[in-house]
Amino acid sequence: MGKFRGWHIVAGIAAMVLTACLGTAMGLNNTAAFMASCVSFVAVSKGMDSYLARRRRDVDLRPSERNPDPRGAGRGPWEDSAMAVESDNRESDGGA
């Protein structure tokens, strides 16, 4: 089935529940507790998403036995791009 990729959502919901409980315990009305819960959900889920994406990127770029150089033979990531600029193309410069 594959790996579960929604950990940032789970962390956001947990933060939302915790914030709602704390807000109610502090005496906030329902609207204020709900607003604080929504803010905590967005903050935690975005933070976790950023953290997990950074970890995945680091793991993907880490050399391994199967793939010793994941980006190619010493080339930069922009050289495979369709938008790479070729400075040696003299025909586009108008020269012969």
Side-chain angles (χ1 to χ4, degrees):
M1 180 157 185
K3 293 181 181 180
F4 179 68
R5 298 272 186 177
W7 289 114
H8 59 286
I9 302 289
V10 173
I13 291 172
M16 190 174 193
V17 169
L18 180 66
T19 307
C21 292
L22 289 175
T24 304
M26 287 184 348
L28 297 177
N29 62 15
N30 290 338
T31 304
F34 179 73
M35 295 275 290
S37 298
C38 292
V39 169
S40 70
F41 171 79
V42 171
V44 169
S45 65
K46 295 291 269 181
M48 281 295 294
D49 189 33
S50 173
Y51 171 76
L52 292 173
R54 194 173 25 232
R55 281 198 51 167
R56 284 187 203 121
R57 185 175 54 238
D58 290 345
V59 168
D60 287 343
L61 292 179
R62 188 177 305 149
S64 66
E65 292 83 28
R66 286 185 305 142
N67 191 7
D69 191 4
R71 289 190 175 179
R75 299 183 317 197
W78 57 86
E79 291 182 10
D80 291 334
S81 165
M83 298 180 66
V85 178
E86 295 187 23
S87 61
D88 294 329
N89 190 356
R90 294 176 190 246
E91 293 178 17
S92 65
D93 295 346

